[in-house]
Amino acid sequence: MITRKLENTIINHLFRGKCIIIYGARQVGKTTITKSVTEKSRAKTLWLNCDELDTRNLLIDANSTKLKNITKGYEIIVIDEAQRVE
């Protein structure tokens, strides 16, 4: 696998109390780099793939209480294909 220069930058910015948003053109490796970063971090990760209908339904109209229950106990939350959630 090709190691991306951006990967170390992302790793260095983890756990600083901010969101990291990775965006770009289709099929340029956004999901691949995200998987690599989460594997290297070894943090407990929740992966929500919004290509899946049940995941989209879970996030539609979610309030803060519901989101806290979904994400409780995880150190990293990945929302892949987030643009698919209305």
Side-chain angles (χ1 to χ4, degrees), residues 17-64:
K18 302 285 182 182
C19 290
I20 299 173
I21 299 172
I22 301 171
Y23 63 95
R26 293 186 48 170
Q27 298 186 336
V28 295
K30 299 177 298 290
T31 299
T32 302
I33 196 170
T34 303
K35 285 181 181 178
S36 179
V37 166
T38 57
E39 288 170 5
K40 287 179 180 178
S41 76
R42 297 187 178 172
K44 188 172 180 186
T45 303
L46 172 63
W47 195 280
L48 299 169
N49 182 350
C50 296
D51 272 339
E52 299 173 1
L53 180 60
D54 59 333
T55 302
R56 286 195 306 268
N57 289 337
L58 183 67
L59 297 175
I60 291 173
D61 297 324
N63 59 32
S64 61

